């Protein structure tokens, strides 16, 4: 299966800066072996989507409301993203921590994405306390159990899962590849046990957390690791291009 490299630009870049970055990526990314996605902020999303219309780089959103239409000031829903984005990040730890998203909210958002034909990139991962208590695996499988609960078995094959240990996000403290390998195995085993192997075999499992052009290859070499979710390093077109062309 082809690897998937996702750049999460988070709450960075004006429209002009976003377009500069998408132009640079477009001009520098030549025949990447992986599928590439960039996720700009909502203000820049449509402009970047138009800019990348005929490019190999696909566009994703960073959030989605669980409802398709409602009097919810400031929110963006699935139908609004149709035609603009192909992917959407759901359940990122920054949203769970700073915006109070619960496992239930995340489950409804995953379902909203699938309902609107967007591929959810579901983020799961333990915090440092949970890791130190030996609860990393349990935390992640509990998240998966709840976050996938609104999907039918058939819909499960339509998702991407990113393992992002909270302590490794934006800290420069990336997880050791052997730790990632162990968790990727745990996630794959969970999926196979819960759903039919035939359904889950195509689900891509990514790693995210302080990935850069120096350490990316170590993760892509892990058995069953099908790509990366890159934050900080995706804002630098040279680094991101390098990661995409590994
Ligand atoms: P980081 O972010 O690469 O800056 O650690 C990853 C993420 O939040 O997806």
């Amino acid at each position: 299966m082809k690897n998937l490299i996702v750049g999460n630009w988070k709450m960075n870049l004006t429209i002009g800066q976003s377009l500069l970055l998408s132009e640079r990526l477009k001009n520098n990314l030549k025949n990447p072996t992986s599928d590439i996605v960039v996720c700009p902020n909502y203000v820049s999303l449509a402009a970047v989507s138009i800019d990348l219309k005929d490019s190999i780089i696909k566009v994703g959103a960073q959030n989605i409301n669980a409802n398709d239409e409602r009097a919810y000031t400031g929110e963006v829903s699935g139908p609004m993203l149709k035609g603009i984005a192909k992917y959407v990040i759901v359940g990122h730890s920054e949203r769970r921590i700073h915006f109070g998203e619960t496992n239930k909210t995340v489950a409804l958002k995953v379902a909203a994405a699938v309902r609107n034909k967007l591929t959810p990139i579901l983020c799961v991962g333990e915090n440092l306390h949970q890791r130190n208590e030996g609860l990393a695996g349990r935390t992640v499988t509990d998240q998966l159990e709840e976050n996938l609960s609104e999907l039918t078995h058939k819909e499960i094959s339509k998702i991407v899962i990113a393992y992002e240990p909270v302590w490794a996000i934006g800290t420069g403290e990336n997880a050791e590849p052997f730790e990632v390998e162990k968790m990727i195995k745990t996630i794959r085993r969970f999926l196979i046990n819960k759903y039919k192997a035939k359904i889950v075999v195509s689900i891509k499992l990514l790693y995210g957390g302080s990935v850069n052009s120096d350490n990316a290859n170590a993760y892509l070499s892990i058995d069953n690791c099908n790509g990366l979710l890159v934050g900080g390093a995706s804002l630098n077109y040279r680094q991101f291009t390098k990661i995409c062309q590994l």
Side-chain angles (χ1 to χ4, degrees):
M1 127 169 58
K2 231 178 170 185
N3 282 339
L4 175 67
I5 312 289
V6 183
N8 176 7
W9 296 357
K10 306 195 181 184
M11 198 179 72
N12 294 293
L13 311 180
T14 60
I15 297 181
Q17 291 166 333
S18 299
L19 285 172
L20 187 64
L21 181 53
S22 68
E23 274 298 303
R24 284 180 164 162
L25 292 174
K26 211 162 60 172
N27 295 333
N28 284 279
L29 266 172
K30 303 281 178 237
N31 308 316
T33 47
S34 305
D35 288 326
I36 314 295
V37 178
V38 293
C39 303
N41 61 61
Y42 267 137
V43 172
S44 304
L45 188 66
V48 170
S49 175
I50 292 167
D51 188 51
L52 295 176
K53 198 165 147 269
D54 298 317
S55 127
I56 41 169
I57 307 167
K58 302 284 173 270
V59 174
Q62 296 178 17
N63 186 23
I64 183 174
N65 191 275
N67 301 280
D68 286 354
E69 203 177 45
R70 212 165 258 207
Y72 277 176
T73 303
E75 286 294 286
V76 176
S77 72
M80 298 172 195
L81 294 173
K82 266 193 215 166
I84 297 178
K86 285 207 164 0
Y87 292 80
V88 57
I89 298 171
V90 180
H92 191 283
S93 61
E94 286 155 9
R95 294 214 56 88
R96 293 179 192 255
I97 295 167
H98 304 299
F99 299 94
E101 288 193 9
T102 62
N103 278 326
K104 179 70 185 164
T105 321
V106 174
L108 294 171
K109 288 183 173 212
V110 168
V114 172
R115 181 168 72 242
N116 286 290
K117 310 222 167 349
L118 297 156
T119 302
I121 301 167
L122 169 63
C123 302
V124 292
E126 81 287 356
N127 62 28
L128 195 56
H129 174 72
Q130 289 158 333
R131 169 151 291 262
N132 290 341
E133 294 292 308
L135 295 171
R138 175 74 193 276
T139 302
V140 167
T141 54
D142 282 355
Q143 286 173 335
L144 288 172
E145 184 80 54
E146 290 194 61
N147 297 165
L148 300 177
S149 62
E150 297 289 327
L151 297 185
T152 63
H153 279 216
K154 239 183 164 171
E155 288 171 335
I156 292 291
S157 62
K158 300 190 188 345
I159 64 162
V160 170
I161 296 171
Y163 168 53
E164 295 211 308
V166 179
W167 47 272
I169 295 176
T171 57
E173 220 183 284
N174 53 303
E176 291 294 334
F178 78 87
E179 294 171 316
V180 177
E181 183 166 11
K182 200 167 152 210
M183 191 61 85
I184 294 267
K185 267 195 194 141
T186 302
I187 295 174
R188 190 68 78 187
R189 203 177 318 117
F190 168 87
L191 293 172
I192 291 173
N193 287 344
K194 189 155 173 72
Y195 309 96
K196 285 204 182 88
K198 203 171 77 190
I199 293 175
V200 302
V201 70
S202 60
I203 297 179
K204 290 185 180 176
L205 305 184
L206 318 183
Y207 168 73
S210 298
V211 173
N212 57 40
S213 52
D214 293 329
N215 62 28
N217 202 30
Y219 300 111
L220 293 176
S221 309
I222 295 172
D223 212 24
N224 251 316
C225 179
N226 314 116
L228 301 165
L229 180 49
V230 187
S234 71
L235 295 170
N236 177 317
Y237 83 92
R238 285 198 185 90
Q239 277 220 45
F240 193 63
T241 304
K242 220 167 148 187
I243 294 170
C244 292
Q245 303 200 132
L246 283 170

